């Protein structure tokens, strides 16, 4: 007649009853007799019948007697396969799971379909509470290995075959048989290797706590031994609430400690909860904590490798906190040495000396920095090692910032390509931005900082630093509203280094707006940091803003020790022109703020005698000389205008504006005064860019005028003549517009202006 195929609980017997003729004889495990001359035979559960009975039933079918067979999907014996072939001559029906409507009609419970996966017997047992008994009875008839597989599958994990085999103590090729057995029992969801949810819940409920712990331990051990991705494995263990996978959780933390440190800290906590010795996760947790700005707990590490990692973390944290001397001392100790990190071979043994190089340069310890870097510039490290490239670039920046910018860009690209597996004291992006601003290259600074923020370079603790430096770059180049916008995005709990930077930003914004109250507020926030006298070379320009604030607030004695410390740093570097000029420029700005011609003259002489430098240093030297003459009452209009234009081109627009303004109030020539005041207004951003107003690129009204004339094809000289400003001022405006629209060449610049001004 036909064959009905379905798993246990799919309604096989029910279908047989519906198809069987009234006079048919039923052969079942409870009634295994085969009649001599039946008119029709119905065979149910043939997998439980002996081979002799199956052979006799095949003889019945060969005699042409109608035979209806209801069986499981698996044909596990030749005798059963022979009977199936004979019975299936007239057709085969496969029973599918019921849909939600059918389950609801069967049980009166519309909520049971998902739990029973559509199998009607399970649904009925769920409705009357008898499922656990059925599960227990069915599992009592199978091999113990099938039971182990069922209990493991009940956890709901997505385990590979090798892991499932390892967790259940059997070879992988034996799994297929166990899964077929579970499918035939009706315990698997249709077309999957996952248990029916209700069956899984019943199995877990039936496990004693000790048995459940044993299953958990086996799964955790198998996952750890499988080489599977530890994060995926740990995620599975957590989802199943398995608390015995200490090795897996620890491996997940180790994998993520530099890419997702917050998640790593959570995995390390799970590892300890699962029984891991806290000392075995302490170093990794310290690395992750440092990257999210959390306090680093004291080392409890016993292994030398872990103590080394702790020392590297402590050195990086000291740098983050604005303590470069402590950073150098700790990073030197990370190499197993005391004193100066000096041996070139240290780069191969430990990154500690290399990581100390930026702090050594920042402190003016140039000879020590060169020794830590070593002399082999041709090694593979110089191509592939981000910390090596960073150290090399910072040593170059000690002599000439402008020349070091390309090297810092290379270091930044190396770190993006292969993130270091250590906590960095500083990122190449941050140092490159500081050095580029000092060299008058704000465009490069912004580009690198945006890349660092987009890629999360250095972890969350550096997000605030990169954002602060982005604000700093905008402040120094005259974009005050966007600098303020970045400042407002900061969170709380800044480390010491960033406290000084944030205070310098606030002081600079307050000074430019004439807000004495905010200037005082910025000064109060930074006084404790300055009291440590731990400022360094890379904070030199930030100190300028604070020094002027101290002068305006009549607190010059608080800044004097800081300047003395910076004198020592610059002297330790051999008085390189760029940094010598930058330091003398601070004293010049203090003299200007105090209206002290003698101090201005001394600072101007120091700027002028610093030696050859870049374009920015030459602009500062010319401005210093013009300032000295102006404060003495000898205003040379052309010299002041030329110096102001040069400062603007060197991306010091505020200082250029102050120079023109101070000269304007000291000249006795009304025409010259008007001209100088006009220039001062142009350079100071007298047409402020207000957040949320204006065009998308944040151009001022004057910059829009200049941009329109650039699109008309006018030269700088023609634009200057039409707008009554000098060509140099036009050049300054064009440079600022280029940075704001993000153009890297003239074609991009023109296209951006067309899009912006014609939208």
């Amino acid at each position: 007649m036909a064959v009905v195929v379905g798993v246990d609980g799919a309604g096989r017997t029910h279908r047989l009853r519906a198809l069987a003729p009234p006079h048919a004889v039923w052969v079942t495990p409870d009634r295994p007799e085969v009649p001599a001359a039946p008119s029709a035979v119905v065979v149910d559960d043939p997998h439980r019948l002996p081979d002799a009975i199956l052979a006799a039933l095949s003889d019945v079918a060969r005699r042409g007697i109608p035979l209806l067979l209801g069986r499981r999907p698996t044909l596990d014996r030749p005798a059963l396969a022979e009977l199936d072939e004979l019975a299936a001559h007239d057709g085969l029906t496969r029973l599918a799971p019921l849909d939600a409507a059918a389950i609801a009609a069967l049980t009166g419970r519309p909520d049971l379909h998902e739990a029973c996966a559509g199998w009607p017997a399970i649904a009925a047992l769920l409705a009357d509470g008898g499922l656990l008994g059925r599960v227990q009875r069915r599992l009592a008839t199978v091999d113990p290995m099938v039971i182990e597989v069922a209990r493991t599958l009940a956890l709901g994990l997505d385990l590979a075959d090798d892991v499932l085999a390892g967790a259940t103590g059997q070879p992988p090729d034996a799994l297929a048989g166990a899964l077929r057995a579970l499918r035939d029992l009706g315990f698997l969801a249709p077309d999957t290797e996952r248990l029916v949810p209700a069956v899984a819940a019943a199995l877990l409920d039936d496990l004693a706590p000790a048995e459940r712990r044993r299953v958990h331990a086996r799964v955790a051990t198998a996952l750890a031994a499988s080489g599977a991705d530890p994060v995926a494995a740990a995620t599975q263990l957590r989802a199943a609430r398995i608390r015995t996978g200490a090795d897996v959780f620890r491996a997940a933390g180790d994998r993520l400690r530099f890419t997702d440190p917050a998640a790593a800290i959570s995995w390390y906590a799970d590892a300890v909860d699962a029984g891991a010795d806290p000392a075995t996760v302490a170093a990794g947790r310290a690395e992750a904590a440092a990257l999210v700005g959390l306090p680093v707990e004291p080392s409890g590490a016993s292994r030398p490798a872990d103590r080394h990692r702790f020392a590297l973390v402590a050195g990086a944290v000291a740098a983050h906190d604005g303590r470069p001397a402590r950073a150098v001392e700790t990073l030197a100790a990370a190499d197993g040495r005391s004193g100066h990190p000096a041996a070139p071979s240290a780069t191969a043994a430990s990154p500690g000396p290399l990581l100390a190089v930026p702090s050594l340069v920042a402190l003016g310890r140039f000879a020590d920095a060169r020794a830590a870097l070593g002399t082999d510039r041709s090694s593979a490290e110089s191509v592939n090692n981000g910390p090596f490239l960073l150290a090399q670039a910072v040593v170059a920046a000690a002599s000439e910032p402008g020349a070091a910018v390309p090297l810092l860009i290379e270091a930044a690209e190396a770190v993006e390509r292969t993130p270091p597996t250590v906590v960095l004291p500083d990122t190449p992006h941050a140092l490159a931005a500081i050095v580029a601003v000092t060299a008058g290259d704000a465009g490069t600074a912004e580009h690198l900082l945006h890349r660092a923020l987009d890629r999360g370079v250095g972890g969350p603790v550096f997000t605030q630093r990169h954002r602060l430096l982005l604000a700093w770059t905008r402040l120094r180049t005259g974009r005050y509203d966007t600098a303020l916008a970045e400042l407002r995005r900061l969170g709380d709990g800044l480390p010491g280094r960033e406290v000084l930077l944030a205070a310098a930003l606030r002081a600079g914004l307050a000074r430019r707006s004439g807000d004495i109250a905010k200037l005082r507020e910025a000064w109060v926030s930074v006084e404790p940091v300055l009291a440590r006298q731990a400022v360094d070379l890379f904070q030199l320009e930030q100190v300028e803003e604070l020094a002027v604030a101290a002068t305006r607030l009549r607190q010059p004695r608080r800044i004097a020790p800081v300047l003395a410390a910076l004198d020592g740093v610059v002297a330790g570097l051999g008085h390189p022109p760029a940094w010598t000029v930058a330091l003398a420029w601070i004293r010049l700005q203090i003299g200007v703020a105090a209206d002290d011609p003698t101090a201005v003259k001394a600072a101007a002489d120091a700027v002028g005698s610093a030696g050859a430098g870049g374009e920015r240093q030459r602009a500062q030297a010319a401005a210093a000389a013009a300032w000295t003459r102006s404060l003495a009452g000898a205003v040379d209009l052309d010299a002041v205008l030329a110096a102001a234009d040069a400062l603007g081109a060197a991306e010091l627009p505020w200082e250029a504006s102050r120079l023109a303004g101070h000269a304007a109030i000291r000249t006795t020539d009304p025409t010259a005064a008007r001209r100088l005041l006009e220039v001062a207004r142009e350079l100071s951003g007298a047409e402020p860019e207000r957040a949320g107003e204006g065009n998308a690129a944040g151009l001022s009204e004057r910059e829009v005028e200049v941009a329109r004339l650039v699109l008309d094809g006018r030269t700088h000289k023609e634009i200057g003549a039409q707008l009554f400003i000098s060509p140099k001022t036009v050049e300054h405006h064009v440079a600022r517009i280029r940075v704001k629209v993000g153009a890297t060449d003239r074609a991009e610049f023109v296209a951006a202006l067309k899009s912006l001004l014609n939208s």
Side-chain angles (χ1 to χ4, degrees), residues 371-424:
L373 177 62
T375 57
D376 183 7
R377 301 297 193 270
S378 63
S379 71
E381 293 181 27
S382 65
V383 176
N384 303 315
N385 189 299
F388 183 93
L389 291 171
L390 176 58
Q392 187 180 44
V394 172
V395 167
S399 300
E400 175 48 55
V405 170
L407 295 174
L408 286 163
I409 293 173
E410 186 180 359
E413 291 171 345
V415 166
E416 291 174 14
R417 190 167 52 247
T418 308
T421 54
V422 292
V423 180
L424 294 174

Side-chain angles (χ1 to χ4, degrees), residues 98 136 149 155 168 179 184 284 294-295 372 391 431 475 535 602 665 701 718 733:
L98 303 182
Q136 292 171 329
V149 172
L155 298 176
T168 54
L179 291 169
D184 288 345
L294 292 175
L431 289 170
L475 170 78
V535 295
I665 62 176
E701 292 180 17
E718 290 170 341
H733 281 308

Side-chain angles (χ1 to χ4, degrees), residues 671-713:
T671 302
R674 285 194 298 273
R675 180 78 179 99
L676 288 167
L677 287 173
E678 176 188 340
V679 170
R681 284 193 297 270
E682 288 284 343
L683 292 169
S684 68
E687 300 162 358
E689 308 157 29
R690 301 188 181 277
E693 297 180 8
N695 51 75
L699 303 185
S700 68
E701 292 180 17
R702 176 63 86 189
E703 286 167 345
V704 170
E705 290 180 306
V706 171
R708 293 195 184 283
L709 293 172
V710 168
L711 276 181
D712 288 342

Side-chain angles (χ1 to χ4, degrees), residues 627 630 635 640-641 643-644 647 654-667 672-673 675-681 683:
W627 234 315
S630 294
V635 176
V640 172
L641 291 176
L647 284 178
W654 174 255
E655 290 79 354
S657 169
R658 295 306 89 200
L659 171 60
H662 280 97
I665 62 176
R666 284 169 174 79
T667 182
R675 180 78 179 99
L676 288 167
L677 287 173
E678 176 188 340
V679 170
R681 284 193 297 270
L683 292 169

Side-chain angles (χ1 to χ4, degrees), residues 62 109 174 216 219 292 446 486 569 639 719 747:
R62 289 190 192 96
R109 294 274 303 278
H216 287 182
V219 171
V292 297
E446 289 207 37
E486 290 295 339
V569 169
I719 295 172

